[in-house]
């Protein structure tokens, strides 16, 4: 018998349906009213189980968090793609289903990914977040992220601002 309620592990092909469901719920909760509705729906619908199977086949690193055997969140991560940050690692995505937010699970998932990157001798960590997503920005500030830079991209004819937060060093 185990008393562990939280499980953190590398995602497997069998997790692809759960990953699609987490992505769907988390994105609709985070970006409804922030991103144009049609664009948001297109983005969510592209990330079905097949997309996740393809991501795993391409070698995308995905860590899944389960609470009492229920998939609740995920993070994708790897080498930093953001130039001029001075960080070696990056969390590309970190999402939880809305009912698991604000309960410490995001911190647990973040710390686990940071430990994984540090174990690979990656110095520092960066995260890019939509600037209009204030709950995410508050989360990253609360766990010690420092705003390092801003970036932009276009979505549906709109210019969207991104905030880049960094954590220098390798300790979690």
């Amino acid at each position: 018998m185990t008393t562990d309620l939280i499980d953190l592990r590398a995602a497997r092909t069998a997790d692809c349906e759960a990953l699609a469901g987490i992505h769907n719920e988390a994105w609709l909760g985070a970006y409804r009213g922030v991103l144009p509705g049609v664009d948001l729906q297109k983005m969510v619908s592209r990330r079905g189980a097949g997309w996740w199977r393809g991501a795993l086949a391409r070698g995308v690193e995905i860590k899944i968090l389960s609470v009492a055997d229920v998939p609740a969140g995920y993070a994708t991560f790897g080498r930093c793609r953001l130039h001029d940050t001075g960080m070696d690692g990056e969390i590309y995505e970190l999402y939880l289903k809305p009912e698991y937010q604000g309960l410490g699970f995001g911190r647990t998932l973040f710390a686990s990914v940071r430990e994984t990157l540090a174990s690979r001798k990656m110095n520092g960590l960066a995260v890019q977040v939509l600037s209009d997503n204030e709950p995410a920005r508050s989360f990253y500030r609360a766990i010690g992220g420092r705003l390092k830079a801003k970036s932009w991209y276009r979505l549906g004819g709109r210019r969207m601002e991104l905030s880049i937060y960094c954590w220098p060093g390798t300790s979690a």
Side-chain angles (χ1 to χ4, degrees):
M1 181 169 135
T2 181
T3 58
D4 293 338
L5 289 175
I6 300 171
D7 180 45
L8 286 157
R9 61 172 172 76
R12 302 182 289 254
T13 304
D15 298 315
C16 290
E17 288 289 339
L19 289 164
I22 294 165
H23 178 267
N24 184 4
E25 289 183 46
W27 273 54
L28 291 175
Y31 301 120
R32 187 175 282 129
V34 175
L35 297 176
V38 172
D39 294 322
L40 175 58
Q41 198 55 50
K42 284 180 189 176
M43 292 170 84
V44 167
S45 66
R46 283 189 281 235
R47 290 281 197 100
W51 187 94
W52 290 98
R53 276 190 289 281
L56 287 170
R58 290 188 308 276
V60 174
E61 292 194 79
I62 306 168
K63 191 168 279 205
I64 191 163
L65 175 135
S66 295
V67 178
D69 294 324
V70 176
Y74 73 88
T76 62
F77 59 97
R79 185 149 300 282
C80 189
R81 307 163 301 174
L82 304 168
H83 303 291
D84 301 326
T85 62
M87 304 294 115
D88 292 337
E90 180 182 353
I91 293 178
Y92 310 133
E93 295 182 86
L94 189 151
Y95 289 102
L96 297 172
K97 288 182 178 179
E99 63 267 30
Y100 293 95
Q101 294 173 11
L103 302 172
F105 298 119
R107 286 176 180 265
T108 300
L109 182 54
F110 179 90
S112 177
V113 170
R114 190 169 185 192
E115 283 178 22
T116 298
L117 293 170
S119 74
R120 296 177 187 163
K121 308 294 186 235
M122 290 190 187
N123 189 28
L125 169 65
V127 172
Q128 191 170 219
V129 61
L130 188 63
S131 296
D132 286 343
N133 186 347
E134 184 52 41
R137 290 178 63 217
S138 293
F139 168 73
Y140 290 121
R141 284 191 305 265
I143 59 173
R146 298 291 176 248
L147 183 62
K148 174 92 174 189
K150 298 273 184 164
S151 182
W152 293 266
Y153 76 102
R154 290 221 171 269
L155 176 66
R158 284 180 58 196
R159 184 178 176 195
M160 308 295 292
E161 182 183 81
L162 300 166
S163 297
I164 300 169
Y165 290 89
C166 294
W167 292 259
T170 56
S171 61

